[in-house]
Amino acid sequence: MAAQASVEGRFLGGRPPYGYRLADAGPHPNPAKAADGKRLHRLETDPVTAPIVRRIFAEYLGGRGIFAIAEALTRDDVPSPSAYDPARNRHRPGLLGPGARFG
């Protein structure tokens, strides 16, 4: 599986990490799965959340602590990953609503 991900560049499943989204990568190489309409997926950066991830890393590398970063994201009204895409985070029903923030 690691070789498929590395060599073929395809995403092997699950929820994409925050900062990424799924993109179509063509028909499935398994003929039976392709006949069922299954497609391959790859990860691409999410234009909305990728800058937030870059910001978090830059602030951390700049010496800010995780709590200070979380407070700044909350202060700037940046939605938490669960609040940004509730459908992607169905494992958290009712815990973090649309107004949920980092920290």
Side-chain angles (χ1 to χ4, degrees):
M1 288 177 68
Q4 286 178 333
S6 176
V7 174
E8 298 175 20
R10 62 179 164 140
F11 184 63
L12 300 177
R15 290 180 297 122
Y18 185 73
Y20 291 90
R21 64 183 179 187
L22 292 178
D24 185 61
H28 201 284
N30 180 317
K33 290 184 178 185
D36 285 342
K38 300 221 188 288
R39 314 258 319 153
L40 293 179
H41 295 100
R42 63 179 171 75
L43 292 176
E44 68 180 18
T45 56
D46 181 336
V48 174
T49 59
I52 297 165
V53 174
R54 288 186 198 102
R55 171 184 170 177
I56 292 168
F57 275 88
E59 290 185 19
Y60 186 77
L61 291 173
R64 293 191 80 183
I66 59 172
F67 295 112
I69 294 169
E71 286 176 348
L73 293 169
T74 299
R75 182 185 63 244
D76 293 343
D77 289 325
V78 175
S80 69
S82 294
Y84 170 71
D85 189 0
R88 186 172 95 167
N89 294 287
R90 289 185 295 263
H91 64 291
R92 295 177 181 248
L95 297 178
L96 297 174
R101 300 290 178 228
F102 283 88

